[in-house]
């Protein structure tokens, strides 16, 4: 293995440690190497804390003059929560920087590379670019669109059922698959369901990983039907909860009660008898919600696909047959009238998880 790959793989490993804590910032890892030895390494651990490069400098075991740095993302060159990392690289007299991903943030976008070169530092870009890019698909989407990256997630049987004809759905997928879903809840900032899921299941929508981060819970509730005694409302004072309701369906007393309980309320224009999900994505993006795990039922899933807000579909296929013409399916609603109008995705990855098949699809890029 080339040294570039060896040290960049370590930087990628470090970057992953920030999952669930850095949003809406990117995951970044950095490794400092001198005379074939790692003398410092770091990563962006949480939003507002040291960036990976400065964290690596904080962990130096000796002077970094003349050393090389391997960093998964182009070093920043602007002031934000932290000062520019390029300045720290120059101050520590790094000789060469190996960079994985380009930073599409308009405040950086190549300017960090230019700054380093202008200060006499050699730079090699696109070192393991594909692997580094894979770290930050959420960040790249959010920083360029200002909208959340939306992952529709569901478990279904081999015959495409998410619940039996009696409505029972526990459990379609196995325990290992369900544990992976908890990791998703820790990783992504928001989790969204429709009011039907709230009324039927009365879920908590929290992360059950020890010391994990609870996602911001978002309920799409056009007619403001959410019960005041449901678990989401009753715990809104400790777990952030947003109810997006339809403009024109205001109920002043209920709105006041929800606010008192700690619920954040968002009024959204209504289209075709439900809230406009495209508008809602803009509103959530403005609140720095960079990613959403959509865990709703068939109706809100259809609305999300129809509104074209879904970027990724994560499906757990259990080796089971339920049958039943009235059994629930992952996407319901009116449906699209012919296959040519179907929403198209490409397979990104597949994995066998204790018998379940875990498939990730990503939206096909338009020409």
């Amino acid at each position: 293995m080339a040294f570039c790959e060896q040290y960049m793989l370590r930087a990628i490993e470090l970057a992953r440690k920030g999952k669930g804590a850095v949003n809406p910032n990117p995951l970044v890892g950095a490794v400092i190497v001198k005379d074939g030895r790692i003398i410092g390494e770091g990563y962006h651990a949480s939003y507002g804390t040291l960036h990976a490069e400065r964290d690596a400098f904080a962990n130096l075991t000796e002077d970094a003059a003349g050393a090389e740095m391997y960093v998964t993302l182009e070093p920043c060159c602007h002031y934000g929560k932290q000062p520019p990392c390029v300045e720290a690289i120059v101050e520590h007299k790094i000789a060469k920087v190996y960079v994985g991903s380009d930073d599409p943030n308009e405040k950086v976008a190549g300017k960090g590379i230019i700054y380093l070169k202008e200060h006499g530092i050699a730079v090699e870009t696109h070192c393991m670019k594909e692997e580094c890019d894979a770290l930050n698909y959420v960040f790249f989407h959010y920083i360029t669109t200002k909208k959340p990256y939306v992952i529709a997630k569901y478990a279904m049987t081999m015959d495409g059922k998410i619940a039996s004809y009696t409505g029972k759905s526990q459990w379609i997928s196995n325990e290992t698959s369900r544990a992976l879903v908890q990791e998703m809840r820790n990783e992504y900032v928001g989790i969204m369901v429709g009011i039907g899921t709230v009324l039927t299941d009365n879920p908590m929508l929290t992360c059950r990983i020890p010391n994990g981060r609870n996602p911001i819970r978002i309920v799409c509730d056009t007619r403001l039907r959410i019960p005041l005694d449901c678990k989401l409302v009753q715990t809104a004072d400790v777990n952030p909860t947003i109810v997006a309701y339809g403009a024109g369906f205001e109920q002043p007393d209920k709105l006041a009660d929800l606010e008192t309980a700690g619920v954040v309320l968002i009024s959204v224009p209504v289209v075709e008898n439900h809230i406009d999900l495209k508008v809602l994505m803009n509103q959530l993006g403005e609140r720095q919600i960079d990613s959403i795990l959509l865990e709703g039922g068939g109706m809100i899933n259809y609305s999300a696909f129809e509104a074209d807000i879904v970027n990724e579909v994560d499906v757990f296929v259990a080796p089971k047959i339920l049958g039943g013409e009235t059994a629930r399916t992952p996407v319901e609603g009116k449906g699209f009238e012919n296959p040519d109008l179907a929403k198209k995705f490409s397979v990104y990855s597949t994995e066998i998880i204790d018998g379940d098949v875990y498939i990730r699809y990503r939206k096909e890029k338009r020409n």
Side-chain angles (χ1 to χ4, degrees), residues 73-338:
L73 183 70
E74 177 183 357
C76 67
C77 54
H78 64 285
Y79 282 87
K81 295 279 185 183
Q82 296 290 330
C85 289
V86 290
E87 293 181 358
I89 293 171
V90 172
E91 289 167 4
H92 283 84
K93 299 180 181 179
I94 294 294
K96 185 172 184 177
V97 178
Y98 292 86
V99 177
S101 297
D102 302 316
D103 190 340
N105 185 346
E106 60 184 14
K107 295 180 180 179
V108 186
K111 301 181 185 71
I113 304 298
I114 293 171
Y115 183 97
L116 293 175
K117 289 181 177 180
E118 287 179 344
H119 286 77
I121 296 174
V123 180
E124 182 173 329
T125 59
H126 299 173
C127 179
M128 299 192 70
K129 183 179 186 301
E130 183 176 348
E131 292 84 351
C132 290
D133 284 354
L135 286 169
N136 285 307
Y137 57 93
V138 166
F139 171 74
F140 293 153
H141 173 82
Y142 178 70
I143 203 68
T144 55
T145 68
K146 310 304 181 188
K147 299 175 185 178
Y149 183 91
V150 178
I151 307 97
K153 186 280 301 177
Y154 51 82
M156 69 180 190
T157 59
M158 293 160 58
D159 53 338
K161 310 298 183 182
I162 62 172
S164 69
Y165 73 90
T166 63
K168 296 185 182 298
S169 61
Q170 296 183 342
W171 294 104
I172 298 291
S173 58
N174 63 41
E175 187 174 351
T176 308
S177 294
R178 298 197 300 274
L180 179 56
V181 171
Q182 294 304 313
E183 293 181 18
M184 294 179 186
R185 290 185 178 187
N186 177 69
E187 180 177 355
Y188 301 120
V189 171
I191 183 169
M192 189 166 80
V193 298
I195 185 59
T197 296
V198 177
L199 296 175
T200 302
D201 300 335
N202 193 19
M204 278 289 288
L205 303 179
T206 51
C207 174
R208 292 188 285 275
I209 297 175
N211 301 315
R213 177 186 67 174
N214 287 326
I216 298 172
R217 306 175 300 183
I218 304 159
V219 181
C220 297
D221 182 13
T222 303
R223 292 169 179 78
L224 207 59
R225 293 186 290 157
I226 190 166
L228 295 175
D229 61 354
C230 74
K231 292 177 182 177
L232 296 180
V233 174
Q234 291 297 307
T235 59
D237 58 334
V238 291
N239 295 321
T241 305
I242 294 172
V243 171
Y245 67 94
F249 289 93
E250 290 82 0
Q251 301 172 40
D253 291 343
K254 189 168 188 178
L255 290 173
D257 289 340
L258 289 169
E259 286 187 332
T260 298
V263 173
V264 174
L265 298 162
I266 300 179
S267 176
V268 186
V270 174
V271 292
E272 298 183 2
N273 298 316
H274 60 75
I275 62 173
D276 189 329
L277 292 178
K278 288 185 177 181
V279 173
L280 177 60
M281 292 305 105
N282 290 331
Q283 293 172 315
L284 296 176
E286 291 172 357
R287 294 171 180 266
Q288 293 195 320
I289 296 176
D290 68 355
S291 49
I292 293 174
L293 187 62
L294 178 60
E295 284 201 22
M299 292 303 296
I300 192 170
N301 284 348
Y302 172 68
S303 295
F305 285 114
E306 185 182 37
D308 203 28
I309 66 167
V310 178
N311 304 102
E312 178 174 326
V313 183
D314 286 18
V315 184
F316 295 87
V317 184
K320 303 172 183 177
I321 297 289
L322 267 179
E325 62 181 355
T326 60
R328 303 292 298 275
T329 60
V331 184
E332 297 175 349
K334 181 181 178 181
F336 303 105
E337 63 185 69
N338 67 64

